[in-house]
Amino acid sequence: MPGYSEEQLQKILKACHEMKEMAYCPYSKFPVGAALLTEDGTMFTGCNVENASYGLSICAERTAIVKAVSEGHRKFTAIAIASDMKEMIVPCGVCRQSLAEFGVNWDVYMTKPDMTYTVMKVKELLPLAFVPTDLQSERVPARNTAGHS
């Protein structure tokens, strides 16, 4: 059983679709909304925000994560995402890695405009994820990479 109620699930599913309307996407014309549920039941929403310098754009999922983290939250139980595509929306690779930063055993609800969805764990969306504990893994001794003599 997930760490949230059916009522909370319905709330994030509805909110992610509503957040599409807030998207700033003048270049792609591809609005995306997200709603993130924290371990304590707090919901944070996000939308994609594009920039003329494309690399500076931020996806809806990461917007929601940034808002939650900036308010002191680090443990999440579910995120729901929505777009206007007829098929379900899936997180991009950058978002998958961003989700994995906060654990791989929580739920991602990928929705369609008719409110149907598919749910997967973060670890299913990003198998063999590079996670914070990997930075503590045993390493080979460092070699001098400053240049050749």
Side-chain angles (χ1 to χ4, degrees), residues 41-90:
T42 305
M43 181 178 69
F44 289 90
T45 57
C47 62
N48 53 321
V49 179
E50 295 179 350
N51 191 289
S53 177
Y54 294 151
L56 298 180
S57 298
I58 185 168
C59 300
E61 301 93 308
R62 289 184 289 137
T63 299
I65 289 171
V66 167
K67 288 170 66 177
V69 169
S70 71
E71 296 292 326
H73 296 272
R74 305 286 189 278
K75 295 184 180 184
F76 309 125
T77 56
I79 189 168
I81 57 176
S83 77
D84 291 334
M85 292 187 340
K86 287 183 180 179
E87 296 303 314
M88 74 174 180
I89 180 78
V90 297

Side-chain angles (χ1 to χ4, degrees), residues 108-148:
V108 180
Y109 288 84
M110 300 162 287
T111 72
K112 293 182 182 182
D114 66 3
M115 299 294 284
T116 60
Y117 59 82
T118 298
V119 62
M120 297 177 78
K121 298 287 187 192
V122 173
K123 66 184 170 188
E124 294 174 294
L125 289 170
L126 190 63
L128 303 175
F130 185 81
V131 296
T133 56
D134 290 330
L135 294 172
Q136 306 307 315
S137 297
E138 185 176 354
R139 304 178 196 184
V140 297
R143 62 183 180 95
N144 182 355
T145 58
H148 301 292

Side-chain angles (χ1 to χ4, degrees), residues 14-34:
K14 182 177 184 229
C16 75
H17 284 274
E18 292 171 347
M19 286 307 298
K20 290 185 301 187
E21 304 305 317
M22 301 304 293
Y24 177 74
C25 52
Y27 310 108
S28 72
K29 310 284 192 258
F30 189 76
V32 180

